[in-house]
Amino acid sequence: MKSLHLLFTLLMCLGGTIGVHARELKAVSRMSYYTDETQAEILVYLPDGEARATLDGSETRYELRQGVNLLPLALDGLAMGPNLRQLTIEHPDGRREEHRVELLRLEPKRNEVKIDRLTGTLRVDGWQWLPVGFYSSLDGENFGFLRSEVTQGINLYSPYHNITDENREARMAYLDLCARLGFKVNYNVCSLAGSQGVGIGNNASQEEKLAALREEVLRVKDHPALLSYYIADEPDGQGVSPETLKRSYDLIHELDPYHPVSVVIISSLPARRYADTYDILMADPYPIPNGPVTEASRMIREIHEQMRFEKAVWLVPQVFGGGEIWTREPSAREVRAMVYGSILAGARGIQGFHRMPDSGSPLLWNGFKEVAVELQRIAPYLYDPAPQPVACDRPEVEAKLFRRGDNLLLVAQNNANEPLAITLSSEELPDAGEAWLLFENRRKAIEQGRITDMVGPFGTAVYRIETKAPASAVAAGNLLVNPSFEESVEAGQTTGGSGGAGGRGNGATQLPDARIARDGEVSLRLNNPFPGAGAARSLFPIDNEQDRTYILSVWARTDRRSLEANAANGTKMTFRLALGSLGEKEFELTDSWRRYEVVCPPQEYKRTHHGGAAGSITLLGEGTAWFDLAQITPDIAILTERTTDRKGFVVRLECYLDGGEIRYTTDGSEPKATSRRYEAPFEVRDVETVTARVFAGGKAYTPVSRVVAAHKALDAQVTYLQPYSAKYAAGGDGAMTDGVFAPLNAQAPLWHGYFGNDIDLVVDLGSVQPVRSVSMGFLQSLTAWVMPPRRLEVLLSEDGDDYRRAGVIDYGEARQGAGEYDYLRIPFRFDRLRAKARYVRIRAEHPQTLPSWHRVQGESWMFIDEIVVE
């Protein structure tokens, strides 16, 4: 089939137009129904050319362009229930078409599920929602399976079952469990709707089945886990007529207009024939091993072309095999190709057929879960109504480009079982830049609107591209790694911490959520299926100092469903924010973003592990909460950046205590309430000690100092006569003269590390000039096995050939002087040199082994940071 070519433009007054090739004019309500939207819209698809439209004989004319046109209507102009609008379309050749469009308006309901016909996607409980789940049988062992798989990105469950009195308790039990876990259910009523077994007796009449269907719909329609009613499994293959299913469809919508109806078909041919019996059409091509993986996307593409702007289209991928007519299971890579190929073809839901949790190979199921987690990360991009085709020099590769705000997402799927070198190109790609492969932790250059890469057998490449630098509210003095949860190296996780679930198998989850964020594109979602289930996030420890004040803050919110569930139980939706032993506090959540903080005053702190105090977020209430922009800041931060001429520093002081005022000095003295008040950034063009202090609420906080070194060797070239270790390169040869001092942490990437080699380097000042002091710092750490040099020598030269000794420090064996997990900076300084030189040579004798007093014996590292020449 010819791939769809979509072109999106925006109508300034009338809504948007989206160019797409299809076969017939369509006029429908954009949403399946409206509740709390600000406006309703009529979607008019014009296959080609231009036209004019009027509504209900009004004099207002809408100019229609080729593609999709959205005609806005005030929601308050619609009555509750169905609203019919007469749409008249006039073509340039004089032809007139009349279309009756029904817009349904309903009272808002907490578990409502809507279909956006523009995108074919769902809105569930007010949220964008991409279903990725599975079929199975109704069996008790599935309950444990649900608890484990909800942590893996699975969010949809659809068990096969008849509707009988005997299994009523089991049906309600799995619905209740799914609601607690955050699953939605494609509820199977096939046995009553005319497709499979009857469940109330094989000889039951259609009227008896419809009566039982009525009873079941009334029983489950308000359940929070309900997504849709599944009324027919392959009716085209079972000889079930559309007329039979239509009666069930109409009855369900009469009783419950808030939830869609779904049907599965085995080919694309009956899509139109059964169109009046479903809102969601699922297709179940099972091609492996009898056909190519592209059979899935081909079928979805044909259905999507027929039903676009009318119905939602889902894929039922083959996650089983080795029985009946299938001689083997598909591989996990084949499942990946089927799913992603179908997503590119228009599928916006995935319901895998897996039979039972233990019915297939674990690698096959794990491969499906991997795709599920990936799809949840990119789901918001799939709401783009106009994905653009992407050209590839290999015909085996399908690719499309999706837009979300200022960001682009390029998805390329290799349909061949071999690795391919590919070049992807699109006019939408920037001429130059970088693409981040979301699930591979690597980046590729964009050159002239092209990306050249290698994609594996049946592999998927997902590239995220920022078209402009994102704005962020992360404070410059933040100490926390990945505060906005944006960074990840694979799907389903974010760097900078780890999660907890309070015990194996209880169903508590912590997952990134790309649908909602306070800062950036991703938030952290925690869900407790019951109060105190243990959904939590531990944060990477900071290098705190025991005489400082620290503020741990986070933005957070919950949803109305969680608030109401807690209120019904007489409880509150709360979470705990803690910074190790420094402080903690519990907070009550609301359904809008709010900032919460814990201020931890100075106190004695004994390190018992690498790093310092670690923050944590623990959800206490039952339900779901989202967290973003988690930060740890000191009360005050001294921040520097280079001046435009690169010869000095601009110093900025930031206070993170509410109502705080900053007083500072530049001579190393302790600031008083009468010291200079900080009002604006200032320049430093020498070596100065900036000391700052916060005054707030009548209290003077602990002062903090930082040496700002605009020294003679700033940006000077360094020649290394002995190499430093590639493991601790600190960014390269310029690290020793960049004006940046390394923090007290052996893992900080600002130290040059030496193992076995002595330090022997030469700093070129560029010209002969007076030198009065040379200083540098070395690290000492018991647990990192880092010790200062035994001997340090500084030599000076005017020509680089003849050196004279400026000073020697025989330090000898390292002193104890620190706890097991403490870090010390050992300063070495040579003053009153009164010399002239262009070249400064540093020789440091490596300690080689750990000192005799160390609790273990072994080889030692030697770490050095900035070399300051004054």
Side-chain angles (χ1 to χ4, degrees):
M1 299 298 298
K2 181 170 62 178
S3 62
L4 300 180
H5 179 208
L6 306 178
L7 175 64
F8 179 71
T9 57
L10 182 65
L11 290 178
M12 298 297 293
C13 300
L14 304 180
T17 65
I18 303 169
V20 60
H21 295 296
R23 297 176 178 176
E24 58 183 317
L25 189 148
K26 296 183 180 182
V28 298
S29 172
R30 172 176 174 175
M31 303 298 293
S32 54
Y33 59 88
Y34 297 91
T35 53
D36 53 4
E37 289 81 2
T38 57
Q39 69 176 22
E41 291 174 309
I42 293 178
L43 185 160
V44 181
Y45 170 70
L46 192 64
D48 51 48
E50 298 179 349
R52 287 185 175 182
T54 57
L55 277 174
D56 296 331
S58 169
E59 294 183 359
T60 302
R61 292 180 178 271
Y62 299 91
E63 300 293 333
L64 304 182
R65 303 177 186 177
Q66 180 179 355
V68 170
N69 302 263
L70 299 177
L71 312 185
L73 294 131
L75 191 65
D76 57 12
L78 299 180
M80 288 296 170
N83 295 261
L84 293 177
R85 292 291 184 266
Q86 188 72 22
L87 180 70
T88 303
I89 298 176
E90 299 178 356
H91 295 274
D93 60 5
R95 287 182 299 117
R96 291 169 59 94
E97 294 185 52
E98 301 290 339
H99 296 267
R100 293 183 56 158
V101 180
E102 181 179 282
L103 299 103
L104 180 60
R105 184 181 180 189
L106 302 173
E107 293 288 350
K109 185 176 181 180
R110 198 64 76 230
N111 71 337
E112 61 186 40
V113 177
K114 302 174 184 176
I115 297 176
D116 182 352
R117 295 186 177 117
L118 174 61
T119 60
T121 52
L122 300 183
R123 290 193 67 85
V124 177
D125 301 338
W127 297 94
Q128 292 180 355
W129 200 79
L130 179 69
V132 184
F134 64 101
Y135 284 107
S136 185
S137 67
L138 180 61
D139 190 289
E141 72 179 88
N142 280 342
F143 286 13
F145 194 56
L146 292 175
R147 292 187 185 94
S148 65
E149 302 318 277
V150 72
T151 67
Q152 309 297 308
I154 302 295
N155 62 8
L156 175 68
Y157 182 44
S158 185
Y160 281 115
H161 56 73
N162 290 338
I163 307 295
T164 68
D165 291 338
E166 289 75 17
N167 67 13
R168 179 184 300 173
E169 184 176 339
R171 298 198 312 271
M172 295 303 105
Y174 87 75
L175 283 171
D176 291 344
L177 176 61
C178 285
R180 287 179 175 272
L181 295 175
F183 272 96
K184 291 295 181 179
V185 174
N186 198 8
Y187 192 63
N188 190 325
V189 291
C190 292
S191 61
L192 303 180
S195 177
Q196 289 185 318
V198 295
I200 57 172
N202 291 332
N203 297 321
S205 67
Q206 186 178 11
E207 298 306 321
E208 290 173 319
K209 287 190 284 186
L210 287 175
L213 178 61
R214 172 185 291 273
E215 181 181 340
E216 191 65 12
V217 171
L218 293 175
R219 179 178 292 115
V220 303
K221 70 185 184 70
D222 295 323
H223 201 285
L226 180 63
L227 180 77
S228 69
Y229 298 94
Y230 174 38
I231 68 169
D233 183 60
E234 301 177 349
D236 47 333
Q238 297 187 37
V240 180
S241 70
E243 292 74 23
T244 298
L245 295 181
K246 181 69 162 59
R247 293 190 65 185
S248 298
Y249 175 88
D250 290 342
L251 176 61
I252 289 172
H253 276 298
E254 174 191 332
L255 300 172
D256 182 7
Y258 290 92
H259 294 93
V261 171
S262 60
V263 166
V264 170
I265 59 176
I266 57 177
S267 75
S268 59
L269 296 177
R272 176 60 64 189
R273 180 182 173 217
Y274 284 87
D276 292 336
T277 71
Y278 62 84
D279 306 298
I280 299 171
L281 184 60
M282 300 188 286
D284 62 355
Y286 299 150
I288 306 302
N290 304 310
V293 295
T294 51
E295 178 61 21
S297 59
R298 181 201 63 79
M299 184 173 171
I300 291 295
R301 187 173 293 108
E302 289 185 357
I303 293 173
H304 187 253
E305 186 171 286
Q306 295 178 66
M307 308 313 300
R308 183 169 172 79
F309 312 127
E310 298 179 61
K311 311 291 182 179
V313 179
W314 294 6
L315 172 72
V316 180
Q318 179 185 355
V319 196
F320 76 99
E324 303 170 42
I325 65 171
W326 297 276
T327 58
R328 70 167 176 88
E329 293 179 335
S331 68
R333 291 197 302 268
E334 287 171 325
V335 170
R336 168 178 290 276
M338 286 188 280
V339 171
Y340 268 104
S342 296
I343 290 290
L344 294 176
R348 292 297 178 265
I350 305 296
Q351 184 169 292
F353 183 51
H354 190 57
R355 290 196 173 126
M356 288 289 291
D358 57 355
S359 65
S361 69
L363 291 182
L364 174 61
W365 179 244
N366 288 340
F368 178 72
K369 291 191 296 183
E370 181 179 28
V371 172
V373 177
E374 293 176 8
L375 290 180
Q376 298 305 334
R377 173 62 180 88
I378 68 173
Y381 286 92
L382 303 181
Y383 279 71
D384 179 0
Q388 299 294 309
V390 174
C392 183
D393 60 341
R394 294 299 299 258
E396 302 94 331
V397 175
E398 300 177 71
K400 277 189 177 178
L401 192 68
F402 302 83
R403 181 179 291 275
R404 183 191 187 194
D406 295 321
N407 297 331
L408 301 174
L409 190 82
L410 195 163
V411 179
Q413 176 59 48
N414 179 10
N415 292 318
N417 192 16
E418 60 178 325
L420 296 177
I422 61 172
T423 297
L424 303 162
S425 60
S426 169
E427 293 182 357
E428 299 293 318
L429 289 174
D431 289 335
E434 197 174 52
W436 172 30
L437 282 99
L438 280 182
F439 311 129
E440 299 181 37
N441 192 30
R442 62 187 180 95
R443 298 179 183 269
K444 293 295 294 184
I446 303 173
E447 298 176 349
Q448 298 180 334
R450 293 182 174 85
I451 298 174
T452 300
D453 202 0
M454 177 71 73
V455 62
F458 292 133
T460 315
V462 180
Y463 308 87
R464 180 175 175 272
I465 302 109
E466 294 177 349
T467 59
K468 70 177 185 180
S472 177
V474 176
N478 167 61
L479 303 173
L480 190 62
V481 176
N482 195 17
S484 289
F485 307 111
E486 301 296 305
E487 299 174 10
S488 65
V489 297
E490 63 184 5
Q493 57 90 266
T494 61
T495 61
S498 59
R504 179 176 296 178
N506 66 7
T509 57
Q510 68 98 21
L511 289 166
D513 194 334
R515 301 172 303 167
I516 177 174
R518 182 61 177 75
D519 186 74
E521 193 172 78
V522 177
S523 65
L524 178 72
R525 184 179 78 242
L526 301 182
N527 183 75
N528 273 339
F530 52 85
R537 171 78 174 187
S538 64
L539 307 173
F540 197 77
I542 62 171
D543 294 307
N544 59 295
E545 304 167 46
Q546 67 179 17
D547 57 350
R548 300 290 305 279
T549 296
Y550 291 92
I551 303 102
L552 169 60
S553 65
V554 70
W555 286 81
R557 62 160 295 173
T558 184
D559 56 15
R560 290 178 295 176
R561 184 186 66 82
S562 298
L563 290 175
E564 291 176 354
N566 279 271
N569 294 329
T571 58
K572 296 181 178 180
M573 190 61 174
T574 59
F575 76 100
R576 181 172 59 248
L577 197 58
L579 183 54
S581 62
L582 301 183
E584 66 175 50
K585 191 174 181 180
E586 291 185 12
F587 301 95
E588 184 176 353
L589 288 157
T590 70
D591 60 356
S592 60
W593 285 111
R594 285 183 53 191
R595 182 178 179 273
Y596 304 86
E597 71 172 25
V598 177
V599 178
C600 304
Q603 59 181 283
E604 183 177 352
Y605 181 82
K606 180 65 177 177
R607 296 191 183 189
T608 58
H609 50 78
H610 289 293
S616 63
I617 302 167
T618 304
L619 186 61
L620 303 175
E622 174 186 341
T624 305
W626 290 264
F627 300 87
D628 205 354
L629 196 58
Q631 300 185 89
I632 301 174
T633 61
D635 53 347
I636 187 174
I638 302 175
L639 309 165
T640 63
E641 60 183 27
R642 297 294 287 276
T643 56
T644 54
D645 63 5
R646 304 290 296 174
K647 294 181 179 180
F649 290 88
V650 176
V651 179
R652 188 170 82 255
L653 308 179
E654 289 194 359
C655 174
Y656 301 109
L657 285 171
D658 289 341
E661 178 183 84
I662 301 175
R663 300 282 176 167
Y664 74 100
T665 64
T666 56
D667 60 2
S669 62
E670 184 174 296
K672 300 179 174 59
T674 55
S675 297
R676 187 184 309 174
R677 178 180 176 179
Y678 176 76
E679 296 180 344
F682 56 91
E683 289 190 1
V684 170
R685 292 183 174 271
D686 201 343
V687 179
E688 296 181 357
T689 300
V690 177
T691 306
R693 193 174 200 174
V694 174
F695 293 82
K699 177 182 177 180
Y701 285 77
T702 305
V704 58
S705 294
R706 177 172 176 176
V707 176
V708 182
H711 56 95
K712 292 178 180 291
L714 195 63
D715 292 335
Q717 181 178 341
V718 180
T719 301
Y720 294 85
L721 304 178
Q722 291 272 19
Y724 51 82
S725 170
K727 185 177 181 180
Y728 297 100
D733 290 356
M736 291 299 97
T737 56
D738 60 2
V740 179
F741 294 89
L744 289 178
N745 186 332
Q747 284 72 46
L750 295 174
W751 295 97
H752 266 178
Y754 289 80
F755 191 74
N757 290 342
D758 292 339
I759 293 175
D760 192 355
L761 58 84
V762 177
V763 179
D764 182 356
L765 302 179
S767 63
V768 176
Q769 50 191 292
V771 174
R772 57 185 172 84
S773 71
V774 178
S775 61
M776 67 216 70
F778 291 84
L779 183 67
Q780 179 171 316
S781 168
L782 274 64
T783 53
W785 294 11
V786 180
M787 296 294 154
R790 289 182 170 273
R791 186 173 187 270
L792 182 69
E793 181 181 25
V794 172
L795 303 99
L796 303 176
S797 172
E798 295 185 9
D799 59 8
D801 293 323
D802 296 324
Y803 283 90
R804 59 189 181 280
R805 179 182 292 170
V808 176
I809 295 177
D810 287 308
Y811 191 75
E813 186 175 77
R815 288 66 157 158
Q816 285 186 262
E820 182 179 2
Y821 290 98
D822 291 328
Y823 298 103
L824 293 177
R825 173 181 274 108
I826 310 299
F828 288 76
R829 185 176 181 88
F830 299 84
D831 279 323
R832 301 176 182 177
L833 299 183
R834 297 189 181 92
K836 288 187 176 183
R838 173 175 175 174
Y839 301 96
V840 179
R841 187 170 183 177
I842 309 296
R843 288 176 173 172
E845 181 182 330
H846 200 289
Q848 298 300 326
T849 61
L850 295 171
S852 58
W853 49 262
H854 201 282
R855 60 185 176 86
V856 298
Q857 294 299 304
E859 295 180 278
S860 170
W861 282 87
M862 179 170 60
F863 280 17
I864 182 175
D865 70 351
E866 188 77 1
I867 297 171
V868 178
V869 180
E870 300 177 68

